[in-house]
Amino acid sequence: MFGKTIVIVNYHYIRAEQCDNGIHAISIEGFSKQLDLIAGEGYQFISLEDLHRAICRKNMDFLSHKACLVTFDDGLKESYVHGVDVLDRKGIPAVFYIVTDPIVEQKVLPVHKFHYARKMMSDDEIWGFITEKFDLPGTAVAEDVLMEQYPWDSPSSARLKYLLNFQLAQEQQVRVVNYLFQMAYPNDESAYANDLYMDQDQIIDLAQRGYLGTHSQQHKVLSILSEDAIRNDLKNSMDVIFSLTGKRVSSVSYPYGGYTAVTENIGKICRDLGMISGVTMFRGINTINDIMYRNMMLKRVDMNDMLGGKSEKVYKELAYGV
Ligand SMILES: [Zn+2]
C-alpha cells in the first residue's frame, strides 16, 4: 500500500481457551501471538491519543510507516482482565468501547443473551424452539447479504444472527432472546451481567489510561432509529461514562458496525456530540485520506482477518493486493 497506513484491529471475547460456538473468542495465547505477528510485520502500535492527534493535525508525519491500533468492543470483563494483562506486558495501548446500560442496570444485552443461548444449544434446536413459539417473518435473505455481515459463520448460523439482529422488530427480538436465554440460563440475570461486563473500577482505570470509548448506551442497530433516538442513545452513554469516570470520551464504535448498521449521518451526529473518531466494521486499512476526511467512518480489520487469524488472507489482500 502506498503512503502511511493505520490498521485498526478489532477484538471481542478473549478466553483462556479458544472457543468457536458462535462467539469467535480468541485465546489469551492466540492474542499474544497475533500481537507479535503484527509487530513482526513492522507495525508500531499507537494509542487513541496518537490517532486523534493525526486526525486533528490532518497528517500522519509523526507516525511510523505502518501503525496499528488495537480495539475491543462490548465492555466485556474478560477483555479487561486478559486483554489489558497481555497488552501491558508488551507495552501496547488499546481502546475499549463499552456499552453503558448493561453496566449500570446489570442486565445482559440481547446480543450477549443470544451468544450464551447459542453456546448452550445448537442452531437447529434454537430454530425449533423459536418457530414453535413465535410468529416469525418469512422473508428470505440473499446469501451474499448474510455473508457480508457474518463472514465467519456457517449459513445457518448467519441466517439465525441476521434474523435476530436485523429482521425482527425490537420488541420481538427482545422476547425471542429472553425466551432462549431463560432456557439456557435459568438463574438471576444480574449475576451473569456481573460476570460478563467490566465493573466501575475497571472502567475508571481504562478512562485514566485514555483507553476508553463508547459503543453506545444500548447496543441497538443505530441505522434503524430516529435521529433523536440515535443522539439520545449516544449522549446518554457519554454522560454515564463521564459520571462514572470524570472523563469525556471522544471515540465511538458503532454497534454491529457493518454497512447496514452505520450511515454517514450517524457519523455526523457523533461529530456534533464532540467525537473525534468513529470506527466501523467496514473492512480495510486506513490511509491519510481516511484520517483527513473519513475520521468518523474509520475502517477496521477483525482479528479473524488479521495476521494469524482464521482468514488472514483478507489482511494480505488489503495490505498487498495478493
Ligand atoms: Zn458490539
Side-chain angles (χ1 to χ4, degrees):
M1 230 177 192
F2 190 69
K4 293 196 174 187
T5 54
I6 301 178
V7 63
I8 306 178
V9 189
N10 183 227
Y11 297 89
H12 292 90
Y13 293 95
I14 166 168
R15 307 211 150 162
E17 299 290 322
Q18 184 173 347
C19 131
D20 265 334
N21 38 11
I23 65 169
H24 310 295
I26 195 168
S27 68
I28 298 167
E29 202 195 340
F31 179 54
S32 173
K33 270 191 194 155
Q34 186 162 55
L35 295 173
D36 292 345
L37 282 171
I38 294 170
E41 261 290 278
Y43 279 96
Q44 171 205 37
F45 290 100
I46 61 168
S47 63
L48 184 62
E49 198 186 340
D50 293 326
L51 176 72
H52 286 182
R53 189 174 303 140
I55 290 169
C56 295
R57 288 184 186 174
K58 292 189 182 292
N59 84 59
M60 305 191 339
D61 293 349
F62 65 98
L63 297 176
S64 76
H65 197 66
K66 292 155 100 177
C68 177
L69 177 64
V70 173
T71 67
F72 278 91
D73 281 2
D74 291 352
L76 302 171
K77 188 170 273 173
E78 62 202 71
S79 69
Y80 179 90
V81 173
H82 303 310
V84 173
D85 184 47
V86 172
L87 290 161
D88 279 354
R89 271 189 275 130
K90 296 177 187 288
I92 296 173
V95 196
F96 294 78
Y97 291 100
I98 66 167
V99 189
T100 47
D101 257 12
I103 293 160
V104 174
E105 298 183 0
Q106 296 183 314
K107 286 202 170 127
V108 181
L109 286 173
V111 65
H112 295 139
K113 286 185 175 174
F114 185 50
H115 287 170
Y116 187 79
R118 293 197 60 228
K119 200 172 111 181
M120 308 305 284
M121 302 184 264
S122 73
D123 290 344
D124 287 347
E125 278 177 298
I126 291 178
W127 273 118
F129 284 132
I130 60 181
T131 45
E132 189 182 303
K133 174 99 181 167
F134 297 95
D135 203 11
L136 300 172
T139 337
V141 183
E143 189 137 328
D144 57 335
V145 174
L146 296 178
M147 287 298 109
E148 204 277 318
Q149 190 69 38
Y150 300 112
W152 314 285
D153 286 276
S154 67
S156 76
S157 155
R159 172 84 189 85
L160 199 52
K161 285 188 181 178
Y162 197 88
L163 170 78
L164 265 293
N165 292 327
F166 293 98
Q167 287 185 287
L168 294 185
Q170 190 73 34
E171 297 109 60
Q172 196 177 26
Q173 184 213 51
V174 169
R175 274 200 300 275
V176 169
V177 168
N178 280 341
Y179 176 70
L180 292 173
F181 183 70
Q182 270 159 20
M183 275 196 290
Y185 190 86
N187 314 320
D188 180 13
E189 180 178 333
S190 67
Y192 188 64
N194 277 328
D195 285 348
L196 189 62
Y197 302 112
M198 291 175 193
D199 62 33
Q200 188 171 348
D201 288 345
Q202 293 166 335
I203 291 165
I204 290 171
D205 177 45
L206 293 176
Q208 283 170 347
R209 292 162 173 257
Y211 282 14
L212 205 56
T214 179
H215 193 38
S216 82
Q217 180 190 9
Q218 298 186 311
H219 206 278
K220 289 181 174 169
V221 178
L222 296 175
S223 57
I224 61 173
L225 302 181
S226 73
E227 207 162 295
D228 281 346
I230 297 169
R231 190 173 293 106
N232 285 339
D233 180 288
L234 291 159
K235 183 159 184 336
N236 289 342
S237 80
M238 294 169 79
D239 289 347
V240 165
I241 292 173
F242 181 70
S243 70
L244 288 176
T245 67
K247 303 255 184 208
R248 293 241 165 249
V249 288
S250 53
S251 186
V252 55
S253 162
Y254 309 104
Y256 305 99
Y259 289 101
T260 39
V262 188
T263 62
E264 298 277 341
N265 195 43
I266 297 171
K268 196 175 157 297
I269 292 169
C270 290
R271 178 181 289 131
D272 291 346
L273 286 168
M275 300 285 183
I276 297 172
S277 62
V279 295
T280 67
M281 283 310 298
F282 306 167
R283 240 190 244 138
I285 297 177
N286 301 288
T287 63
I288 185 65
N289 207 46
D290 298 295
I291 295 303
M292 288 176 72
Y293 306 112
R294 308 263 310 153
N295 55 304
M296 296 311 296
M297 291 285 137
L298 295 174
K299 293 170 266 189
R300 286 195 290 182
V301 177
D302 187 272
M303 62 161 197
N304 289 294
D305 290 340
M306 196 53 199
L307 291 168
K310 278 184 278 197
S311 325
E312 67 169 7
K313 65 175 191 312
V314 175
Y315 165 76
K316 290 186 171 162
E317 277 166 22
L318 291 170
Y320 303 113
V322 291

